[in-house]
Amino acid sequence: MAQAILPAALKPGDRVGIVASSAPEPFTDPAWFERGLTALKAQGYEVVVAETTTQEFGYRVAPEQQILSDFHGFVTDPTIKGIIFAGGGKNSNRLLGGLDTGLLAQHPKVIVGVSDPTVLLNAITARTGLITFHGPSVVWDWGSEALNELTARHFVQIAGGDVTAGLLEGASLTVLRSGKAEGHLVAGCLSAVRNLLGTPHEPEWDGAVFAWEDVSKPIELLDATLTHFRDQGVLDKISGMVVGELVNCEDSRGWNVEAMLHDLCDGYSFPILTGLPFGHTSTKYTLPIGARVQLDTNNSAPLQIIGPWVS
Protein backbone atom coordinates (compact mmCIF):
# COMPACT_ATOMS: atom_id res chain seq x y z
CA MET A 1 0.00 0.00 0.00
CA ALA A 2 1.17 3.53 -0.73
CA GLN A 3 2.18 5.75 2.19
CA ALA A 4 -0.93 6.71 4.15
CA ILE A 5 -2.64 9.97 3.27
CA LEU A 6 -4.98 11.33 5.94
CA PRO A 7 -8.05 13.29 4.87
CA ALA A 8 -9.09 16.33 6.87
CA ALA A 9 -11.61 15.60 9.60
CA LEU A 10 -15.25 16.03 8.63
CA LYS A 11 -17.09 18.39 10.97
CA PRO A 12 -20.70 19.50 11.35
CA GLY A 13 -21.20 22.50 9.08
CA ASP A 14 -19.06 20.99 6.32
CA ARG A 15 -20.46 20.43 2.82
CA VAL A 16 -20.82 16.77 1.86
CA GLY A 17 -21.23 15.51 -1.71
CA ILE A 18 -23.65 12.63 -2.36
CA VAL A 19 -22.94 10.28 -5.28
CA ALA A 20 -24.32 6.94 -6.43
CA SER A 21 -21.85 4.47 -7.92
CA SER A 22 -24.09 1.68 -9.16
CA ALA A 23 -27.76 0.89 -8.46
CA PRO A 24 -30.36 3.67 -8.95
CA GLU A 25 -31.62 3.40 -5.37
CA PRO A 26 -32.29 7.14 -4.88
CA PHE A 27 -34.52 6.88 -7.99
CA THR A 28 -36.30 3.69 -6.92
CA ASP A 29 -36.49 4.60 -3.20
CA PRO A 30 -36.89 8.39 -3.20
CA ALA A 31 -38.55 8.55 0.23
CA TRP A 32 -35.63 6.70 1.83
CA PHE A 33 -33.16 8.93 0.01
CA GLU A 34 -34.88 12.13 1.13
CA ARG A 35 -35.01 10.87 4.71
CA GLY A 36 -31.29 10.18 4.48
CA LEU A 37 -30.53 13.70 3.30
CA THR A 38 -32.67 15.11 6.10
CA ALA A 39 -30.86 12.99 8.69
CA LEU A 40 -27.46 14.11 7.44
CA LYS A 41 -28.59 17.73 7.63
CA ALA A 42 -29.77 17.09 11.18
CA GLN A 43 -26.18 16.12 12.05
CA GLY A 44 -25.12 19.56 10.87
CA TYR A 45 -23.78 18.69 7.41
CA GLU A 46 -24.72 20.62 4.29
CA VAL A 47 -25.51 18.12 1.53
CA VAL A 48 -24.94 18.55 -2.19
CA VAL A 49 -26.42 15.88 -4.49
CA ALA A 50 -24.59 15.04 -7.73
CA GLU A 51 -26.66 15.22 -10.92
CA THR A 52 -26.40 11.50 -11.71
CA THR A 53 -27.32 10.39 -8.19
CA THR A 54 -31.08 10.50 -8.73
CA GLN A 55 -31.06 9.22 -12.32
CA GLU A 56 -31.76 5.77 -13.74
CA PHE A 57 -29.82 3.93 -16.46
CA GLY A 58 -31.19 0.40 -16.36
CA TYR A 59 -29.68 -1.30 -13.31
CA ARG A 60 -27.21 1.58 -12.89
CA VAL A 61 -27.68 5.27 -12.24
CA ALA A 62 -25.80 6.45 -15.33
CA PRO A 63 -22.95 5.52 -17.71
CA GLU A 64 -19.67 5.27 -15.83
CA GLN A 65 -18.09 8.36 -17.41
CA GLN A 66 -20.95 10.51 -16.15
CA ILE A 67 -20.73 9.04 -12.65
CA LEU A 68 -16.96 9.53 -12.62
CA SER A 69 -17.37 13.13 -13.78
CA ASP A 70 -19.64 13.85 -10.81
CA PHE A 71 -17.36 12.00 -8.41
CA HIS A 72 -14.18 13.70 -9.61
CA GLY A 73 -15.98 17.04 -9.53
CA PHE A 74 -16.63 16.57 -5.83
CA VAL A 75 -13.02 15.43 -5.30
CA THR A 76 -11.63 18.66 -6.75
CA ASP A 77 -14.27 21.04 -5.36
CA PRO A 78 -12.59 22.76 -2.38
CA THR A 79 -15.95 23.51 -0.77
CA ILE A 80 -16.82 19.79 -0.56
CA LYS A 81 -15.18 18.28 2.53
CA GLY A 82 -16.54 14.73 2.27
CA ILE A 83 -18.20 12.34 -0.18
CA ILE A 84 -20.82 9.75 0.78
CA PHE A 85 -22.07 7.03 -1.55
CA ALA A 86 -25.86 6.98 -1.68
CA GLY A 87 -26.33 3.21 -1.60
CA GLY A 88 -25.03 0.05 -3.22
CA GLY A 89 -25.59 -2.16 -6.22
CA LYS A 90 -23.41 -4.68 -8.02
CA ASN A 91 -21.43 -2.75 -10.62
CA SER A 92 -19.24 -0.21 -8.84
CA ASN A 93 -16.24 -1.97 -10.36
CA ARG A 94 -17.24 -0.42 -13.70
CA LEU A 95 -15.69 2.78 -12.33
CA LEU A 96 -12.28 1.33 -11.39
CA GLY A 97 -10.58 1.90 -14.73
CA GLY A 98 -11.54 5.56 -14.79
CA LEU A 99 -10.57 6.53 -11.25
CA ASP A 100 -8.17 9.48 -11.30
CA THR A 101 -5.87 8.45 -8.49
CA GLY A 102 -3.72 11.54 -8.98
CA LEU A 103 -6.69 13.79 -8.22
CA LEU A 104 -7.65 11.69 -5.23
CA ALA A 105 -4.15 11.90 -3.77
CA GLN A 106 -3.96 15.65 -4.39
CA HIS A 107 -7.35 16.39 -2.86
CA PRO A 108 -7.73 14.06 0.13
CA LYS A 109 -11.11 14.12 1.81
CA VAL A 110 -13.36 11.75 3.73
CA ILE A 111 -14.99 9.23 1.33
CA VAL A 112 -17.61 6.89 2.80
CA GLY A 113 -19.46 3.85 1.48
CA VAL A 114 -20.81 0.40 2.26
CA SER A 115 -21.57 -2.78 0.32
CA ASP A 116 -20.72 -2.59 -3.40
CA PRO A 117 -18.89 0.79 -3.21
CA THR A 118 -16.33 -0.85 -0.90
CA VAL A 119 -14.68 -2.08 -4.10
CA LEU A 120 -13.92 1.58 -4.85
CA LEU A 121 -12.88 2.45 -1.32
CA ASN A 122 -10.32 -0.35 -1.14
CA ALA A 123 -9.03 0.43 -4.63
CA ILE A 124 -8.56 4.10 -3.76
CA THR A 125 -6.71 3.23 -0.55
CA ALA A 126 -4.54 0.63 -2.30
CA ARG A 127 -3.54 2.91 -5.17
CA THR A 128 -3.15 6.23 -3.34
CA GLY A 129 -2.74 5.49 0.38
CA LEU A 130 -5.76 7.70 1.13
CA ILE A 131 -7.67 6.47 4.17
CA THR A 132 -11.28 5.77 3.15
CA PHE A 133 -14.26 4.87 5.33
CA HIS A 134 -16.52 1.83 5.48
CA GLY A 135 -19.62 3.47 6.92
CA PRO A 136 -23.31 4.29 6.59
CA SER A 137 -24.99 4.98 3.24
CA VAL A 138 -27.58 7.65 2.60
CA VAL A 139 -30.45 5.38 1.53
CA TRP A 140 -30.18 2.35 3.82
CA ASP A 141 -28.75 3.88 6.98
CA TRP A 142 -29.35 7.61 7.21
CA GLY A 143 -32.65 7.05 5.39
CA SER A 144 -33.90 4.34 7.73
CA GLU A 145 -37.27 5.04 9.31
CA ALA A 146 -35.57 4.39 12.64
CA LEU A 147 -32.03 5.75 12.31
CA ASN A 148 -29.70 3.70 14.50
CA GLU A 149 -28.24 5.99 17.16
CA LEU A 150 -24.92 4.15 17.47
CA THR A 151 -24.46 4.11 13.69
CA ALA A 152 -24.97 7.87 13.44
CA ARG A 153 -22.88 8.71 16.52
CA HIS A 154 -19.92 6.53 15.61
CA PHE A 155 -19.81 7.90 12.06
CA VAL A 156 -19.71 11.49 13.34
CA GLN A 157 -17.00 10.56 15.87
CA ILE A 158 -14.79 8.67 13.41
CA ALA A 159 -15.19 11.16 10.57
CA GLY A 160 -14.49 13.95 13.03
CA GLY A 161 -11.33 12.33 14.37
CA ASP A 162 -12.49 11.44 17.90
CA VAL A 163 -9.73 9.03 18.96
CA THR A 164 -11.91 7.44 21.66
CA ALA A 165 -14.14 6.07 18.90
CA GLY A 166 -11.25 3.82 17.84
CA LEU A 167 -11.84 1.60 20.87
CA LEU A 168 -15.08 0.28 19.30
CA GLU A 169 -16.55 0.11 22.78
CA GLY A 170 -19.71 -1.94 23.00
CA ALA A 171 -18.91 -4.17 20.04
CA SER A 172 -19.81 -7.72 21.05
CA LEU A 173 -17.23 -9.95 19.37
CA THR A 174 -16.72 -13.71 19.45
CA VAL A 175 -13.21 -15.17 19.44
CA LEU A 176 -13.05 -17.93 16.86
CA ARG A 177 -9.28 -18.28 17.12
CA SER A 178 -7.17 -16.50 19.73
CA GLY A 179 -4.07 -14.46 19.13
CA LYS A 180 -2.70 -11.01 18.42
CA ALA A 181 -2.31 -9.08 15.19
CA GLU A 182 -1.55 -5.54 14.11
CA GLY A 183 -1.71 -4.15 10.61
CA HIS A 184 -3.49 -1.90 8.16
CA LEU A 185 -7.19 -2.52 7.72
CA VAL A 186 -8.75 -3.92 4.57
CA ALA A 187 -12.52 -3.89 5.06
CA GLY A 188 -15.47 -4.47 2.79
CA CYS A 189 -18.24 -6.60 1.43
CA LEU A 190 -16.59 -9.93 0.59
CA SER A 191 -18.26 -10.38 -2.80
CA ALA A 192 -17.37 -6.79 -3.78
CA VAL A 193 -13.73 -6.91 -2.67
CA ARG A 194 -13.38 -10.17 -4.61
CA ASN A 195 -13.70 -8.06 -7.78
CA LEU A 196 -10.29 -6.54 -6.98
CA LEU A 197 -8.37 -9.81 -6.95
CA GLY A 198 -5.85 -10.01 -9.78
CA THR A 199 -6.44 -6.39 -10.85
CA PRO A 200 -4.15 -3.35 -10.56
CA HIS A 201 -6.48 -2.12 -7.82
CA GLU A 202 -6.03 -5.08 -5.46
CA PRO A 203 -5.38 -4.23 -1.79
CA GLU A 204 -1.98 -4.74 -0.21
CA TRP A 205 -2.50 -7.91 1.79
CA ASP A 206 0.89 -8.30 3.49
CA GLY A 207 0.26 -7.91 7.22
CA ALA A 208 -3.31 -6.70 6.73
CA VAL A 209 -6.19 -7.28 9.09
CA PHE A 210 -9.01 -8.35 6.78
CA ALA A 211 -12.52 -7.42 7.94
CA TRP A 212 -15.30 -8.71 5.73
CA GLU A 213 -19.06 -9.14 5.73
CA ASP A 214 -21.78 -10.00 3.23
CA VAL A 215 -25.52 -10.29 2.74
CA SER A 216 -27.88 -12.97 1.39
CA LYS A 217 -25.19 -15.53 0.61
CA PRO A 218 -25.49 -19.17 1.73
CA ILE A 219 -22.49 -20.49 3.61
CA GLU A 220 -21.26 -22.63 0.70
CA LEU A 221 -21.09 -19.49 -1.49
CA LEU A 222 -19.11 -17.64 1.18
CA ASP A 223 -16.84 -20.71 1.27
CA ALA A 224 -16.35 -20.53 -2.51
CA THR A 225 -15.57 -16.82 -2.34
CA LEU A 226 -13.09 -17.18 0.54
CA THR A 227 -11.50 -20.10 -1.28
CA HIS A 228 -10.83 -17.73 -4.17
CA PHE A 229 -9.05 -15.41 -1.73
CA ARG A 230 -7.11 -18.40 -0.38
CA ASP A 231 -6.08 -19.54 -3.84
CA GLN A 232 -4.91 -16.00 -4.65
CA GLY A 233 -2.57 -16.23 -1.65
CA VAL A 234 -4.46 -13.72 0.51
CA LEU A 235 -4.77 -15.99 3.54
CA ASP A 236 -1.01 -16.60 3.46
CA LYS A 237 -0.37 -12.86 3.86
CA ILE A 238 -2.92 -11.41 6.28
CA SER A 239 -2.20 -11.08 9.99
CA GLY A 240 -5.78 -11.32 11.24
CA MET A 241 -9.40 -11.72 10.18
CA VAL A 242 -12.55 -10.04 11.45
CA VAL A 243 -15.90 -11.35 10.22
CA GLY A 244 -18.85 -9.02 10.35
CA GLU A 245 -22.33 -9.77 11.55
CA LEU A 246 -23.69 -11.50 8.46
CA VAL A 247 -27.18 -10.69 7.18
CA ASN A 248 -29.41 -13.40 5.67
CA CYS A 249 -26.47 -15.77 5.15
CA GLU A 250 -28.17 -19.08 5.74
CA ASP A 251 -26.51 -22.20 7.14
CA SER A 252 -25.73 -24.88 4.57
CA ARG A 253 -26.60 -28.47 5.50
CA GLY A 254 -26.01 -27.75 9.16
CA TRP A 255 -22.81 -25.73 8.74
CA ASN A 256 -22.73 -22.11 9.89
CA VAL A 257 -20.04 -19.55 9.15
CA GLU A 258 -18.02 -20.56 12.21
CA ALA A 259 -17.88 -24.20 11.10
CA MET A 260 -16.90 -23.16 7.58
CA LEU A 261 -14.13 -20.88 8.86
CA HIS A 262 -12.75 -23.52 11.21
CA ASP A 263 -12.48 -25.87 8.25
CA LEU A 264 -11.24 -23.46 5.57
CA CYS A 265 -8.75 -21.63 7.80
CA ASP A 266 -7.46 -24.70 9.63
CA GLY A 267 -4.01 -24.46 8.06
CA TYR A 268 -3.43 -20.86 9.15
CA SER A 269 -2.54 -19.34 12.51
CA PHE A 270 -3.96 -15.80 12.31
CA PRO A 271 -6.52 -14.80 14.97
CA ILE A 272 -10.16 -14.60 13.95
CA LEU A 273 -12.97 -12.53 15.48
CA THR A 274 -16.60 -12.79 14.40
CA GLY A 275 -19.77 -10.78 14.90
CA LEU A 276 -18.58 -7.19 14.34
CA PRO A 277 -21.59 -5.02 13.41
CA PHE A 278 -20.57 -3.29 10.19
CA GLY A 279 -21.73 -3.49 6.63
CA HIS A 280 -25.32 -4.54 5.98
CA THR A 281 -26.44 -4.42 9.62
CA SER A 282 -28.51 -1.47 10.83
CA THR A 283 -26.09 -1.06 13.74
CA LYS A 284 -22.69 -0.42 12.22
CA TYR A 285 -19.33 0.88 13.27
CA THR A 286 -17.50 3.11 10.80
CA LEU A 287 -14.11 1.61 9.91
CA PRO A 288 -11.21 3.56 8.36
CA ILE A 289 -9.76 1.45 5.55
CA GLY A 290 -5.96 1.68 5.50
CA ALA A 291 -5.63 2.77 9.13
CA ARG A 292 -3.68 0.60 11.55
CA VAL A 293 -5.72 -1.65 13.80
CA GLN A 294 -4.86 -3.97 16.66
CA LEU A 295 -6.49 -7.34 17.21
CA ASP A 296 -5.88 -8.89 20.63
CA THR A 297 -8.27 -11.60 21.76
CA ASN A 298 -7.10 -11.26 25.37
CA ASN A 299 -8.07 -7.59 25.51
CA SER A 300 -11.43 -6.42 26.83
CA ALA A 301 -11.68 -4.45 23.58
CA PRO A 302 -10.26 -7.10 21.21
CA LEU A 303 -10.37 -4.87 18.11
CA GLN A 304 -9.08 -1.30 18.23
CA ILE A 305 -8.24 1.33 15.63
CA ILE A 306 -4.84 2.56 16.77
CA GLY A 307 -3.47 4.52 13.84
CA PRO A 308 -4.51 8.03 12.83
CA TRP A 309 -7.25 8.20 10.21
CA VAL A 310 -7.86 11.93 9.76
CA SER A 311 -5.64 14.98 10.02
Side-chain angles (χ1 to χ4, degrees):
M1 190 179 76
Q3 184 175 357
I5 299 174
L6 304 181
L10 185 66
K11 303 291 187 182
D14 285 342
R15 299 183 87 215
V16 176
I18 309 299
V19 295
S21 60
S22 183
E25 290 168 329
F27 179 89
T28 57
D29 299 294
W32 285 68
F33 183 61
E34 288 300 324
R35 277 199 306 269
L37 299 181
T38 299
L40 282 166
K41 293 173 186 175
Q43 296 294 330
Y45 305 117
E46 179 185 349
V47 298
V48 182
V49 179
E51 183 178 357
T52 55
T53 301
T54 55
Q55 295 178 1
E56 181 189 34
F57 184 67
Y59 47 84
R60 293 179 289 144
V61 292
E64 55 256 46
Q65 291 306 320
Q66 293 180 25
I67 301 171
L68 284 164
S69 177
D70 281 348
F71 178 67
H72 291 145
F74 280 154
V75 169
T76 57
D77 185 339
T79 72
I80 299 293
K81 305 302 182 183
I83 301 172
I84 301 177
F85 286 105
K90 293 181 172 62
N91 304 102
S92 294
N93 62 329
R94 288 283 291 266
L95 307 182
L96 289 172
L99 282 177
D100 191 327
T101 53
L103 281 183
L104 286 155
Q106 292 167 22
H107 304 277
K109 55 190 63 178
V110 169
I111 304 175
V112 188
V114 67
S115 191
D116 190 53
T118 60
V119 72
L120 300 173
L121 301 180
N122 282 281
I124 290 168
T125 299
R127 295 188 60 192
T128 68
L130 174 63
I131 303 295
T132 58
F133 296 83
H134 192 301
S137 70
V138 180
V139 174
W140 307 333
D141 299 299
W142 295 106
S144 172
E145 292 180 342
L147 174 62
N148 186 282
E149 191 272 336
L150 184 149
T151 299
R153 182 181 73 248
H154 196 254
F155 170 79
V156 172
Q157 290 175 321
I158 288 288
D162 182 349
V163 294
T164 65
L167 294 176
L168 304 182
E169 290 180 319
S172 180
L173 299 170
T174 298
V175 176
L176 194 65
R177 185 159 60 208
S178 61
K180 296 181 180 180
E182 183 177 318
H184 64 280
L185 182 67
V186 175
C189 177
L190 187 69
S191 52
V193 177
R194 183 185 192 178
N195 290 326
L196 296 173
L197 296 178
T199 75
H201 321 284
E202 185 170 358
E204 172 56 61
W205 297 109
D206 286 333
V209 173
F210 183 26
W212 62 269
E213 55 80 38
D214 219 316
V215 61
S216 299
K217 306 290 191 307
I219 297 303
E220 72 263 29
L221 184 54
L222 293 178
D223 182 316
T225 305
L226 273 177
T227 298
H228 189 184
F229 281 82
R230 183 197 69 182
D231 292 346
Q232 283 288 110
V234 171
L235 302 190
D236 295 311
K237 299 175 182 178
I238 63 174
S239 63
M241 180 182 289
V242 179
V243 182
E245 185 180 325
L246 304 177
V247 176
N248 297 329
C249 293
E250 297 179 355
D251 294 357
S252 298
R253 296 189 63 81
W255 278 41
N256 58 17
V257 67
E258 288 81 9
M260 180 270 286
L261 288 169
H262 271 301
D263 182 61
L264 182 63
C265 298
D266 181 60
Y268 304 92
S269 59
F270 52 76
I272 304 175
L273 295 173
T274 64
L276 179 67
F278 82 108
H280 289 85
T281 52
S282 60
T283 301
K284 59 168 56 71
Y285 290 88
T286 296
L287 304 178
I289 298 169
R292 292 197 70 77
V293 298
Q294 182 182 80
L295 195 163
D296 184 350
T297 60
N298 291 319
N299 198 308
S300 58
L303 180 65
Q304 300 182 27
I305 307 163
I306 60 173
W309 55 86
V310 293
S311 61

